[in-house]
Amino acid sequence: MSSTSQKHKDFVAEPMGEKPVMALAGIGEVLGKRLEDKGFDKAYVVLGQFLVLKKDEELFRDWLKDTCGANVKQQGDCFGCLKEWCDAFL
């Protein structure tokens, strides 16, 4: 059984548009601020990094940890959210 959050479900249910980075599953206020401070202010900018890393889970998790200090659960939630969104919309 899948245990995705409501935030995850809401994100993958529609095109990304101009959603803020904090709309991503696993990214709350603290991580969102850290990402914004490094230029990743919109969800689509993080998606760009996800695609540059060729949707590779290990590389993306490492990048997220190094960039904003995301823990293992947050990394997994964000990766899963972007992967599912890509599967639906790309």
Side-chain angles (χ1 to χ4, degrees):
M1 183 174 142
S2 178
S3 63
T4 55
S5 66
Q6 187 62 47
K7 189 175 183 182
H8 175 111
K9 291 174 188 167
D10 291 346
F11 189 85
V12 300
E14 61 188 10
M16 196 173 302
E18 294 288 322
K19 288 182 181 177
V21 70
M22 287 178 264
L24 289 163
I27 306 299
E29 277 190 50
V30 173
L31 297 184
K33 179 77 172 100
R34 290 177 189 162
L35 285 165
E36 286 174 355
D37 289 347
K38 294 188 177 180
F40 296 90
D41 59 332
K42 301 285 185 185
Y44 69 80
V45 183
V46 176
L47 171 66
Q49 184 64 29
F50 178 77
L51 295 174
V52 164
L53 296 171
K54 299 182 178 181
K55 300 190 258 184
D56 181 277
E57 183 170 6
E58 185 178 348
L59 292 175
F60 183 74
R61 282 174 171 265
D62 286 347
W63 173 82
L64 204 55
K65 180 178 70 175
D66 294 344
T67 304
C68 67
N71 67 31
V72 171
K73 181 181 184 327
Q74 293 161 331
Q75 295 163 24
D77 289 350
C78 190
F79 173 82
C81 182
L82 286 172
K83 182 178 183 320
E84 188 174 329
W85 188 91
C86 285
D87 291 347
F89 291 100
L90 292 184

